[in-house]
Amino acid sequence: MSEKLHQMIDQIYDQILNNGLERYNQGDAVDKKDREGFERVKRETKHVFKLIDQWEDEVMENIHRLDIFPNQVQNTKENMELLLLHSYYIDVRRKRFMELYHSIDYVLKLIK
């Protein structure tokens, strides 16, 4: 695995999984109808969505060397985006949130 991909995975754990779980557990949801809240979420997640896209590109470039299938990469990307947004809006039950969390964690560990 490339050093770049390894660093991206560490960033994903830090910025998406750990921070997302902490936000979800705090329970301070952003109101979906609040324009100011929407702008804050948009501003705070812009670089994270970019990281997710970069991660997908890097994994797809190295997929022939990894023990993972292309559909797992696409599903994991979507799960990361969902988990990130659910951590701000807290609009899913804890069980569903944790399913997303563990699914992402599983695939990232496969890659490592």
Side-chain angles (χ1 to χ4, degrees), residues 7-47:
Q7 289 174 347
M8 284 180 174
I9 290 173
D10 290 342
Q11 286 180 311
I12 288 168
Y13 270 105
D14 183 48
Q15 296 178 20
I16 299 173
L17 294 177
N18 297 338
N19 290 348
L21 183 59
E22 186 177 319
R23 262 191 310 275
Y24 189 88
N25 287 335
Q26 287 176 353
D28 187 23
V30 174
D31 184 3
K32 292 179 185 178
K33 297 175 185 173
D34 179 22
R35 179 70 177 176
E36 197 173 297
F38 170 78
E39 291 298 329
R40 180 178 64 87
V41 170
K42 184 177 172 183
R43 186 175 55 253
E44 291 178 9
T45 60
K46 184 177 183 177
H47 74 282

Side-chain angles (χ1 to χ4, degrees), residues 66-88:
L66 301 171
D67 191 26
I68 190 171
F69 296 103
N71 66 329
Q72 287 176 297
V73 176
Q74 182 61 39
N75 290 340
T76 301
K77 177 187 177 193
E78 291 171 7
N79 287 345
M80 283 191 265
E81 293 169 346
L82 286 170
L83 186 132
L84 182 61
L85 292 174
H86 289 320
S87 73
Y88 280 96

